[in-house]
């Protein structure tokens, strides 16, 4: 047999194994739900997102969503989501941000990650509430504290979302500003790079 042919075949086989191995395992470790880097909808899963408001007729409260050129990963062309919230109202007030997970199967993962920071000049709450929902739409709450004016990665093990019963189809993630957890009652929070990972 031609040794040259043999070593070429071996090299090809090796290359094939390497490229086949690397990609699927890498993809299984982290799924980007939203990096917001197009500066537009939808998110990386094809899902919609936006600001919400308990009572759109109450003009004294609400969350206004916009894209801010301040990427958490440091990409000069990237964007984050900016949330200008106001829960200072004579009425009970809560509002925030919602993002669709589009029925994503999360069984390969065990951790929800995202980046968050407060806006130094506008002021910001140090605490926000998250709610994760599967297709049954029961909110599974989790409080995030210790928000600062620097980007900070928050990683939450799935076990903390105790009311999720079916991880094979997630509906949405919601961020809540309310008149109990939000202090000051008016300010600006930035959020970016929402992912699911296997730790
Ligand atoms: Ca981004
Ligand atoms: Ca207000």
């Amino acid at each position: 047999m031609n040794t040259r042919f043999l070593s070429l075949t071996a090299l090809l086989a090796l290359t094939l194994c390497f490229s086949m191995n690397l990609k699927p395992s890498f993809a299984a470790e982290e799924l980007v739900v939203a990096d917001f880097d197009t500066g537009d909808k939808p998110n990386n899963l094809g899902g919609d997102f936006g600001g919400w408001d308990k009572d759109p007729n109450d003009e004294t409260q609400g969350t206004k969503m916009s894209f801010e050129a301040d990427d958490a990963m440091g990409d000069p062309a990237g964007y984050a989501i900016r949330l200008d919230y106001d829960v200072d109202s004579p009425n009970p007030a809560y509002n925030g941000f919602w993002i669709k997970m589009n029925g994503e199967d999360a069984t390969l993962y065990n951790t929800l990650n995202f980046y968050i920071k407060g806006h130094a000049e506008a002021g910001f709450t140090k605490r926000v509430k998250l709610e994760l929902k599967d297709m049954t739409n029961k909110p599974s709450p989790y409080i995030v504290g210790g928000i600062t004016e620097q980007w900070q990665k928050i990683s939450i093990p799935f076990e903390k979302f105790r009311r999720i019963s079916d991880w094979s189809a997630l509906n949405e993630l919601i961020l809540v500003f309310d008149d109990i957890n939000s202090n000051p009652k008016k300010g600006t929070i930035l959020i970016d790079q929402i992912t699911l990972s296997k730790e």
Side-chain angles (χ1 to χ4, degrees):
M1 261 245 192
N2 185 332
T3 46
R4 208 165 173 193
F5 173 77
L6 262 180
S7 58
L8 193 69
T9 313
L11 188 72
L12 273 174
L14 204 73
T15 312
L16 199 67
C17 281
F18 188 65
S19 58
M20 278 171 66
N21 259 331
L22 201 67
K23 277 193 173 158
S25 68
F26 181 74
E29 278 164 21
E30 187 157 35
L31 174 78
V32 177
V33 174
D35 59 23
F36 306 110
D37 288 345
T38 61
D40 203 352
K41 298 173 179 186
N43 65 31
N44 301 55
L45 303 179
D48 201 1
F49 52 87
W52 64 273
D53 189 337
K54 180 214 167 225
D55 180 4
N57 295 320
D58 178 0
E59 285 175 6
T60 68
Q61 62 165 298
T63 290
K64 191 171 126 296
M65 184 200 86
S66 56
F67 292 90
E68 179 106 338
D70 180 3
D71 183 59
M73 312 306 284
D75 180 350
Y79 291 93
I81 285 295
R82 173 182 176 132
L83 302 170
D84 296 301
Y85 71 89
D86 180 352
V87 290
D88 189 3
S89 162
N91 310 308
Y94 47 96
N95 48 63
F97 173 73
W98 56 273
I99 182 162
K100 286 286 172 190
M101 310 284 276
N102 261 16
E104 187 65 35
D105 181 352
T107 51
L108 286 176
Y109 311 100
N110 60 14
T111 308
L112 171 74
N113 312 281
F114 59 92
Y115 286 74
I116 194 164
K117 75 176 205 178
H119 194 283
E121 290 87 64
F124 57 93
T125 174
K126 315 298 177 284
R127 274 160 74 87
V128 294
K129 185 161 84 174
L130 294 181
E131 291 179 352
L132 189 61
K133 295 179 180 174
D134 62 17
M135 291 316 215
T136 64
N137 272 327
K138 269 195 313 251
S140 195
Y142 182 84
I143 300 280
V144 175
I147 299 168
T148 71
E149 56 188 68
Q150 307 298 328
W151 280 118
Q152 183 183 168
K153 186 179 185 181
I154 306 289
S155 294
I156 308 165
F158 281 0
E159 306 90 85
K160 302 285 186 188
F161 299 104
R162 304 189 65 161
R163 298 181 71 197
I164 297 284
S165 52
D166 180 12
W167 287 98
S168 75
L170 291 180
N171 182 17
E172 64 181 344
L173 176 67
I174 293 176
L175 188 146
V176 184
F177 301 107
D178 59 45
D179 46 16
I180 298 160
N181 287 302
S182 296
N183 178 26
K185 291 186 173 183
K186 218 178 143 171
T188 301
I189 287 285
L190 275 73
I191 183 165
D192 200 4
Q193 197 70 17
I194 304 171
T195 69
L196 302 177
S197 67
K198 183 161 174 59
E199 303 300 326

Coordinates of all heavy atoms in Angstrom, one line a residue, residues 59-61 86-89 186, ligand 2:
E59 N -50.5 57.1 33.4 CA -49.3 57.7 32.8 C -48.2 58.0 33.8 O -47.1 58.4 33.4 CB -49.7 59.0 32.0 CG -50.4 58.7 30.7 CD -50.9 59.9 30.0 OE1 -50.6 61.0 30.4 OE2 -51.6 59.7 29.0
T60 N -48.4 57.8 35.1 CA -47.4 58.1 36.1 C -46.5 56.9 36.3 O -45.5 56.9 37.0 CB -48.0 58.4 37.5 OG1 -48.7 57.2 38.0 CG2 -49.0 59.5 37.3
Q61 N -46.7 55.7 35.6 CA -45.9 54.6 35.7 C -45.7 53.9 34.4 O -46.5 54.0 33.5 CB -46.5 53.6 36.7 CG -47.8 53.0 36.3 CD -48.2 51.8 37.0 OE1 -47.6 50.8 37.0 NE2 -49.3 51.9 37.8
D86 N -40.4 53.5 35.9 CA -41.1 54.4 36.8 C -42.2 53.7 37.5 O -43.2 53.3 36.9 CB -41.6 55.6 36.0 CG -42.3 56.6 36.9 OD1 -42.4 56.4 38.1 OD2 -42.6 57.7 36.3
V87 N -42.0 53.4 38.8 CA -43.0 52.8 39.6 C -43.5 53.8 40.7 O -44.1 53.4 41.7 CB -42.6 51.4 40.2 CG1 -42.5 50.4 39.2 CG2 -41.3 51.5 41.0
D88 N -43.2 55.1 40.5 CA -43.6 56.1 41.4 C -44.9 56.6 41.0 O -45.1 57.4 40.0 CB -42.5 57.2 41.4 CG -42.8 58.2 42.5 OD1 -43.7 58.0 43.3 OD2 -42.1 59.2 42.5
S89 N -46.0 56.1 41.6 CA -47.4 56.4 41.2 C -48.3 56.4 42.4 O -48.0 55.7 43.4 CB -47.8 55.3 40.2 OG -49.2 55.3 40.1
K186 N -37.8 55.3 40.4 CA -37.6 55.8 39.0 C -36.1 55.7 38.7 O -35.3 56.1 39.5 CB -38.0 57.2 38.9 CG -38.8 57.6 37.7 CD -39.2 59.0 37.7 CE -39.0 59.5 36.3 NZ -39.6 60.8 36.0
Ligands
LIG2 CA1 -44.1 58.3 38.1

